[in-house]
Amino acid sequence: MPGPASRTVVNVAIIQPKSTPEREEMTALGLLAEDGTLRPPALSAGTGPSPARIERRAMKAGDVLNEAYEYARPSSFARGIRFDLGDKTMLLISGTASVDEAGLTVHAGDFRAQLWRTYRNITALLASEGATWHDMVRTTCYLRDIERDYRDFNEVRTAFFTWLGLDPLPASTGIQARLCREDLLVEIEAIAVFGRKQG
């Protein structure tokens, strides 16, 4: 997988507004000047870098999960973000699903296998930053069909967390939602926090 230095930035034209209200919102945001031309982000309050920015870095686990910008139609998000606050590190893990290192859905139609692969992908993202599930404080779990799949979801989650010996368990919310691909049945986003060595 290419690293941040070798990442190719796809040259995408700025979205052209499709309606007058869309143009008005893009102008109010500072993206467009009154004449419709593109403006640099620093010209508008709230769109440029802040003076005392917290350093952040994207999380990667390329051996099990591709980067979203490597899709045939690139998607604009990081798999996760790490940032340090004093002696603590926080990991914000994006919605993660049963996707492999080539960006393909794995185990289409098999909810339980998709959930296990999702846990595998999140485990790899945690490990990439020196964290484990014992550092997890919150998960938000999206199920395509909560009535059909919640029993299996809870059974697999309980087995996994019991196997890990998690105590306390992370806070969690389960939501029924349409996911970004028709063949994905579950997606989980997560927050982990752990102490870091000063030095």
Side-chain angles (χ1 to χ4, degrees), residues 26-41:
M26 291 172 72
T27 302
L29 183 59
L31 191 72
L32 298 178
E34 291 297 328
D35 65 1
T37 59
L38 185 65
R39 294 175 64 191

Side-chain angles (χ1 to χ4, degrees), residues 33-98:
E34 291 297 328
D35 65 1
T37 59
L38 185 65
R39 294 175 64 191
L43 292 179
S44 175
T47 58
S50 58
R53 224 172 104 184
I54 293 174
E55 186 177 335
R56 301 166 307 182
R57 127 173 129 229
M59 299 168 60
K60 300 172 186 295
D63 53 332
V64 296
L65 186 64
N66 80 321
E67 293 302 322
Y69 54 75
E70 293 172 344
Y71 286 130
R73 293 182 63 184
S75 194
S76 298
F77 69 93
R79 292 293 181 192
I81 292 290
R82 173 198 175 120
F83 59 95
D84 300 321
L85 295 170
D87 63 347
K88 304 290 185 279
T89 293
M90 182 175 279
L91 306 178
L92 303 177
I93 298 175
S94 295
T96 301
S98 184

Side-chain angles (χ1 to χ4, degrees), residues 20-154:
T20 300
E22 183 179 6
R23 177 179 295 281
E24 289 169 359
E25 292 301 331
M26 291 172 72
T27 302
L29 183 59
L31 191 72
L32 298 178
E34 291 297 328
D35 65 1
T37 59
L38 185 65
R39 294 175 64 191
L43 292 179
S44 175
T47 58
S50 58
R53 224 172 104 184
I54 293 174
E55 186 177 335
R56 301 166 307 182
R57 127 173 129 229
M59 299 168 60
K60 300 172 186 295
D63 53 332
V64 296
L65 186 64
N66 80 321
E67 293 302 322
Y69 54 75
E70 293 172 344
Y71 286 130
R73 293 182 63 184
S75 194
S76 298
F77 69 93
R79 292 293 181 192
I81 292 290
R82 173 198 175 120
F83 59 95
D84 300 321
L85 295 170
D87 63 347
K88 304 290 185 279
T89 293
M90 182 175 279
L91 306 178
L92 303 177
I93 298 175
S94 295
T96 301
S98 184
V99 175
D100 68 11
E101 64 279 1
L104 303 174
T105 299
V106 184
H107 312 303
D110 186 334
F111 177 86
R112 292 170 70 101
Q114 282 197 16
L115 181 55
W116 284 114
R117 179 58 188 240
T118 300
Y119 284 144
R120 178 179 164 197
N121 288 346
I122 293 171
T123 300
L125 286 166
L126 289 166
S128 75
E129 298 299 327
T132 74
W133 279 89
H134 292 269
D135 302 309
M136 191 67 68
V137 295
R138 176 156 184 75
T139 61
T140 305
C141 310
Y142 302 93
L143 284 67
R144 178 173 290 279
D145 188 334
I146 202 164
E147 287 183 36
R148 181 192 66 205
D149 295 328
Y150 188 80
R151 178 181 294 215
D152 282 333
F153 168 74
N154 195 47

